[in-house]
Amino acid sequence: MKRQNKSMIAMMHRLVNSCGKYKASIRASYIPGFLKGMCMKAPLMISFLLVTGFMAGTVTKQSCLIYGAVLLACVILQAVLQNVSDRLQSAAGFKVFADKRMQLGDHFRKLSMGYFTEGNIGRVSSVLSTDMNFIEENCMMVLEELVGFIISQALMIGFMFYLGWQLGLVATLSLALIILIGNLTTRKSISHSIMKQECSEKLTSSVLEFAEGIGIIKTFNLLGEKSKALNKSFEKSCDESIHFEMVYAPWWSGLMLAYGTGTALVLLVSGILSAKGLISIEFLMGMILFLFDLFAGIKAYYGSIARLTVTDACLDRIENVFEEAEIKNEGTESIPEPGSVDESVPEISYQNVSFAYGSKDTLHDISFDAKRGEMIALVGPSGGGKTTIANLLARFWDAKKGRIKIRGKDITKVPVSDLMNNISMVFQRVYLFQDTIFNNIAMGKTDATREEVIEVAKKARCYDFIMQLPDGFDTVIGEGGSSLSGGEQQRISIARCMLKDAPIVILDEATASVDADNEHFIQEAISELCRGKTLIVIAHRLNTIRNADRILVIRNGQISESGTHDELMELDGEYAGMVNKQNS
């Protein structure tokens, strides 16, 4: 309810405060806004002076020239003040959201991977493409105008008191009624703008889901069904927008009625006062000149209700994203260099590690060690927790209980940047950026020379196919690597990891979804990548991990079996059953 009781002034104040270091510049724009507001009313003031002068017979050629010069000066000054205001306010608005986008990118970098896998992609896209754009393009440039409207309205009421205290009193009471109805209109607008923005977020999610799954949809001939679902999202968004207007329209009509009623009352009172000789005919003419501009300021002010209330809802959603908890990065310790610690200290150590996605337990008291240069393979049924174990090492999430150590250092007590310098990951699903092949490989080492990139490309068995592309290493590949085959993408990702040359490598079965020809090249590339490294391998093809130093069978978040290939085959348990099943 507190949210729905916000006034227009409070929303303006919140918008300005959200601008951080630029809010002083935006507030400075109020000064030219104030002066512009006065210039806007100058023609009416001069018209009043001319009318009264003509009726009194005091107007001369010289006074007309003076009034004309003043009018011209006001027009020029108004244009100058508008330019100054735009420079102070509009430019600051674009800078504010340029900074906001950079801050949001930095914030996303520090969030757990869970945030991006819990249906929040639509929210992220909506905040970046809808909310920020709306504020940037619709509201940052009207703050000074709103201040100008307030000033001009105050000048009009003041002039009514100058014409007669009775007129001023009637105008003030009418203004109070307009403000009362305007605030009620604002509340209605706020409550529905929240729903409108939430509907926009759901629509964005539906569009993204449809676009990402278009291949599967076509394959299973579900275009009609999925199109119906998408159309329903569009229809719901349309219905919500129409509902917003239907609810808002009666209140806006009431506001227009209040303007008309106030104007009519002032005209009625001025006629009565003139008939009784309480105001002169000159003042009556002046009042008539001002009459239809009497409530123009407050009318324009409340005309911005819809934009400001949607802006308030947008700010809520932006702030909600910024309030998402980041992975703590307060560590100050350093991971020792490889080979600098006693051999008795494991390279990697999981100590009674437990983890849950929300309320769903995933891992239970996982404990194992890996010595430097060892290969630890994680096998087991899907959903058992293999990938989660690997992701916890890279702090994509943090363990709920227990500790994970690298060379004796708790990974939560070292900076994330230091941790990631020690780990390379090759995912089953590769993502390459829409950039040159050179830059995609050089992500592993941003200061790498061309010779270094070419060398790792050869080791990763991707040099030959790169050189067959139109521009070689300078070929720009499609977003996600769409212009390359799956095997080619995988080899480029391996080259990227080779260039990074981290002492620990996590492999999420890199050959699980490639053809036999590519598998041969990828296996050779992986052999080059893993030479002398400590490996955590998530294995689906069990023949690829026969030589692992230890194989851990993960089932229901627990280690059900542990040992070498020969030991587990001799045990004739779950692992042996998996091997026999694959062989058959």
Side-chain angles (χ1 to χ4, degrees):
M1 291 300 293
K2 182 179 178 182
R3 166 75 199 277
Q4 294 188 17
N5 288 332
K6 271 186 184 174
S7 66
M8 291 271 284
I9 298 293
M11 287 188 282
M12 289 170 61
H13 183 66
R14 181 190 184 191
L15 181 57
V16 173
N17 279 342
S18 71
C19 296
K21 64 183 180 181
Y22 298 104
K23 62 185 178 183
S25 174
I26 290 172
R27 284 176 175 153
S29 71
Y30 295 169
I31 297 171
F34 168 79
L35 296 174
K36 191 182 79 170
M38 297 185 69
C39 289
M40 288 169 63
K41 298 306 172 188
L44 287 173
M45 303 290 183
I46 292 171
S47 298
F48 171 72
L49 294 174
L50 278 171
V51 168
T52 54
F54 275 118
M55 296 185 72
T58 58
V59 175
T60 64
K61 181 179 179 181
Q62 184 178 4
S63 63
C64 285
L65 289 172
I66 291 171
Y67 288 145
V70 171
L71 275 174
L72 180 61
C74 286
V75 170
I76 295 171
L77 186 58
Q78 194 173 330
V80 171
L81 291 168
Q82 181 67 58
N83 183 268
V84 172
S85 175
D86 287 345
R87 288 178 179 275
L88 288 170
Q89 178 179 268
S90 303
F94 288 111
K95 290 176 182 176
V96 165
F97 283 95
D99 288 354
K100 286 282 185 190
R101 289 183 178 95
M102 294 300 293
Q103 291 166 15
L104 198 59
D106 186 59
H107 179 61
F108 287 151
R109 187 170 59 86
K110 298 172 184 175
L111 294 178
S112 75
M113 290 298 292
Y115 178 77
F116 302 100
T117 57
E118 291 170 358
N120 289 314
I121 297 300
R123 179 179 301 175
V124 170
S125 299
S126 186
V127 164
L128 285 169
S129 63
T130 304
D131 296 335
M132 287 189 172
N133 279 356
F134 182 87
I135 300 174
E136 189 177 51
E137 294 174 3
N138 290 278
C139 288
M140 293 309 299
M141 293 183 282
V142 301
L143 288 174
E144 165 269 323
E145 289 181 3
L146 292 173
V147 173
F149 295 149
I150 295 170
I151 298 301
S152 64
Q153 187 59 64
L155 289 173
M156 296 303 293
I157 295 297
F159 194 74
M160 286 296 106
F161 275 104
Y162 171 73
L163 293 175
W165 66 268
Q166 301 95 331
L167 294 177
L169 183 61
V170 172
T172 302
L173 291 173
S174 298
L175 182 64
L177 175 64
I178 291 168
I179 291 172
L180 175 64
I181 297 174
N183 286 342
L184 292 172
T185 306
T186 302
R187 292 185 192 182
K188 285 291 179 183
S189 184
I190 286 175
S191 62
H192 283 82
S193 65
I194 299 170
M195 291 185 285
K196 192 170 182 290
Q197 291 305 98
E198 288 175 351
C199 190
S200 173
E201 178 185 315
K202 290 176 183 176
L203 177 61
T204 302
S205 295
S206 297
V207 172
L208 285 173
E209 182 183 8
F210 185 84
E212 289 176 357
I214 191 67
I216 299 298
I217 292 168
K218 282 188 174 182
T219 301
F220 289 95
N221 199 25
L222 294 174
L223 271 176
E225 293 298 320
K226 291 299 179 181
S227 296
K228 286 178 184 177
L230 185 61
N231 285 338
K232 283 182 180 178
S233 296
F234 282 119
E235 287 170 6
K236 187 174 181 181
S237 178
C238 178
D239 291 343
E240 187 60 45
S241 296
I242 292 172
H243 180 62
F244 176 81
E245 296 299 333
M246 293 293 287
V247 171
Y248 180 69
W251 289 94
W252 182 249
S253 298
L255 202 53
M256 294 297 104
L257 183 62
Y259 297 141
T261 303
T263 302
L265 282 173
V266 172
L267 180 61
L268 175 64
V269 171
S270 61
I272 293 171
L273 292 176
S274 178
K276 291 184 177 181
L278 295 175
I279 61 172
S280 66
I281 190 67
E282 292 90 346
F283 275 34
L284 177 62
M285 293 299 295
M287 191 283 306
I288 292 173
L289 278 173
F290 279 83
L291 183 62
F292 296 103
D293 205 41
L294 177 57
F295 297 114
I298 197 70
K299 186 176 180 181
Y301 177 77
Y302 279 114
S304 299
I305 286 177
R307 281 189 291 178
L308 271 182
T309 52
V310 171
T311 293
D312 208 47
C314 290
L315 285 174
D316 279 345
R317 286 147 50 83
I318 292 169
E319 288 174 4
N320 286 340
V321 173
F322 275 110
E323 286 168 3
E324 287 291 332
E326 298 177 352
I327 287 181
K328 292 181 180 178
N329 190 21
E330 301 167 354
T332 56
E333 300 180 18
S334 298
I335 296 175
E337 290 295 320
S340 65
V341 295
D342 191 275
E343 289 186 5
S344 61
V345 178
E347 180 79 354
I348 302 169
S349 179
Y350 281 69
Q351 300 175 354
N352 305 110
V353 173
S354 296
F355 179 74
Y357 293 106
S359 59
K360 182 184 177 183
D361 289 338
T362 307
L363 299 179
H364 312 274
D365 292 317
I366 297 294
S367 296
F368 68 88
D369 293 337
K371 294 180 181 178
R372 185 183 175 197
E374 279 191 338
M375 174 182 176
I376 304 295
L378 307 178
V379 302
S382 296
K386 305 185 296 296
T387 299
T388 302
I389 291 172
N391 286 342
L392 290 179
L393 180 62
R395 288 197 73 190
F396 283 179
W397 296 272
D398 276 335
K400 305 301 181 188
K401 294 179 182 177
R403 292 187 296 180
I404 302 174
K405 294 183 177 182
I406 294 179
R407 297 178 213 118
K409 288 293 181 181
D410 188 330
I411 62 173
T412 62
K413 294 182 179 179
V414 301
V416 172
S417 58
D418 189 20
L419 172 66
M420 295 314 298
N421 283 336
N422 283 272
I423 298 173
S424 287
M425 301 185 73
V426 179
F427 299 97
Q428 183 176 338
R429 184 179 178 184
V430 177
Y431 189 88
L432 301 178
F433 293 90
Q434 188 170 2
D435 202 339
T436 63
I437 288 179
F438 178 90
N439 286 338
N440 268 282
I441 296 175
M443 284 181 65
K445 182 182 177 184
T446 53
D447 60 347
T449 64
R450 196 168 188 87
E451 289 71 23
E452 288 177 305
V453 170
I454 291 172
E455 183 63 26
V456 297
K458 289 178 178 177
K459 288 181 179 179
R461 308 300 190 270
C462 56
Y463 178 80
D464 290 339
F465 81 76
I466 291 174
M467 295 310 294
Q468 291 174 8
L469 296 172
D471 298 310
F473 282 87
D474 296 318
T475 301
V476 176
I477 56 179
E479 185 177 354
S482 58
S483 56
L484 301 176
S485 72
E488 290 169 343
Q489 293 175 35
Q490 191 64 272
R491 280 180 271 167
I492 288 176
S493 75
I494 292 171
R496 178 192 292 168
C497 291
M498 279 185 183
L499 192 60
K500 185 177 181 181
D501 196 29
I504 297 171
V505 177
I506 299 173
L507 289 174
D508 187 352
E509 189 61 85
T511 62
S513 56
V514 296
D515 55 70
D517 289 338
N518 271 302
E519 181 179 1
H520 169 71
F521 290 119
I522 290 171
Q523 288 290 5
E524 288 184 343
I526 288 174
S527 297
E528 288 283 353
L529 169 65
C530 300
R531 189 166 291 142
K533 306 290 195 294
T534 304
L535 303 179
I536 301 288
V537 179
I538 300 169
H540 302 97
R541 298 185 181 182
L542 302 181
N543 62 314
T544 62
I545 47 97
R546 292 174 67 94
N547 297 322
D549 295 281
R550 194 167 332 129
I551 299 169
L552 307 179
V553 180
I554 311 298
R555 175 178 285 278
N556 298 326
Q558 296 178 311
I559 299 174
S560 60
E561 292 179 6
S562 174
T564 64
H565 172 79
D566 291 338
E567 289 170 347
L568 293 178
M569 290 301 292
E570 189 176 331
L571 185 64
D572 197 25
E574 187 172 355
Y575 175 78
M578 292 166 61
V579 172
N580 293 331
K581 188 175 182 180
Q582 281 202 4
N583 289 339
S584 65

